Amino acid sequence: MKTTVELSKVCCLCFGAKRALKNAIKAKDEHNNVVLYKQLLHNKETIKNLEGLGIVTKQNLFDLTSDDYVIIRAHGEPKSTYAYLNEHNIKYLDCTCPNVLSINKLVESKQKDGYKIIIIGKYGYKTGKIHPEVYGTSGWCVSPILIEDESEIHNIDLGFNKYFLVVQTTFSRSKALKIIEKIKDIMHKSNKLFDYKDTMCNAQAIIHQNSIELAKKVDKMIIVGGKNSSNTIELYNSVSNFAPTYFAEDIDDIKHLISTKKLLEGDCIGLSGGASTQIEQLKAIKSYILSKL
Ligand code: SF4
């Protein structure tokens, strides 16, 4: 039987990631010393391509200088980063996704209205690694309450009168909705004013739905993206429930899947990528698989 490889109808770079990438490349044509402040997207291939264009990445705020033209990535940054750049006359282009920007402005204004902010997101309660978007949003309010897991909700400090909750845009929707219901209940029983905004991103939900549809009709799925990309890991977890699924960061991982016979001649393979994966990478992987199997 002939091997087939089908790409998910909707996958790869979301609107916010595409916009950040396009602006970074455009900035290179118009400015000298274009510097990415932290990894633009959690994707090795994309970063390699940007480096090939001469765009360097600096991880440390204090390494940025007034000669740099700084790109702020789609995940956003705390308010203090903007203050630092302005104070030091460092020019920058803010490529924060507009969805994330509006969450940051929202928590800032809700806090001014007297609400204690709760953020559901990956703040690293087990891994110790905070997701960049949660780090950024946390920096637009004072000491927000961070919740990543249902088990943590009983530790919420109930010493405030009113609470406002937002969710990391790429957080698992099913997990977040469960946590929100439980928090609502606690707040109600404690006579607290509680309000929230569903800030989870539809771009994610659409990629998940389409990838799951594909998983249901193929033998095996491959999810392509950075192993440090939160949204790609979430995609892998959802799709794994519907077909045997493998995670690949690059062609080397595909070579490994072939050499270890995880992928076989005659397989019907589905391919999808997270919101930080470029479609070109999926197309290259498709061609590679078809040339080998
Ligand atoms: S996943 Fe949604 S919120 Fe996050 S960068 Fe992409 S478009 Fe923006």
Side-chain angles (χ1 to χ4, degrees), residues 213-241:
E213 283 317 307
L214 179 59
K216 286 179 184 166
K217 58 178 202 176
V218 295
D219 301 327
K220 295 163 187 177
M221 281 293 291
I222 303 173
I223 301 299
V224 181
K227 285 179 182 150
N228 56 348
S229 157
S230 166
N231 71 75
T232 312
I233 294 166
E234 289 297 340
L235 179 64
Y236 169 82
N237 290 338
S238 326
V239 169
S240 302
N241 295 319

Side-chain angles (χ1 to χ4, degrees), residues 13-18 74-75 96-100 103 133 169-170 199-204 231 275:
L13 289 194
C14 60
F15 147 77
K18 243 184 226 164
H75 302 95
T96 305
C97 173
N99 296 347
V100 178
I103 299 173
E133 184 189 312
T169 58
T170 51
T199 49
M200 288 170 277
C201 180
N202 275 340
Q204 291 294 316
N231 71 75

Side-chain angles (χ1 to χ4, degrees), residues 141-160:
C141 50
V142 180
S143 309
I145 296 170
L146 302 176
I147 304 276
E148 182 168 344
D149 189 81
E150 231 176 297
S151 62
E152 299 175 281
I153 57 178
H154 297 289
N155 303 331
I156 291 179
D157 178 356
L158 292 171
F160 301 88

Side-chain angles (χ1 to χ4, degrees), residues 27 31-36 65 67-71 91-93:
H31 299 271
N32 295 322
N33 301 332
V34 175
V35 170
L36 300 174
T65 73
D67 289 336
D68 294 334
Y69 185 75
V70 175
I71 306 290
K91 286 188 229 56
Y92 62 87
L93 179 67

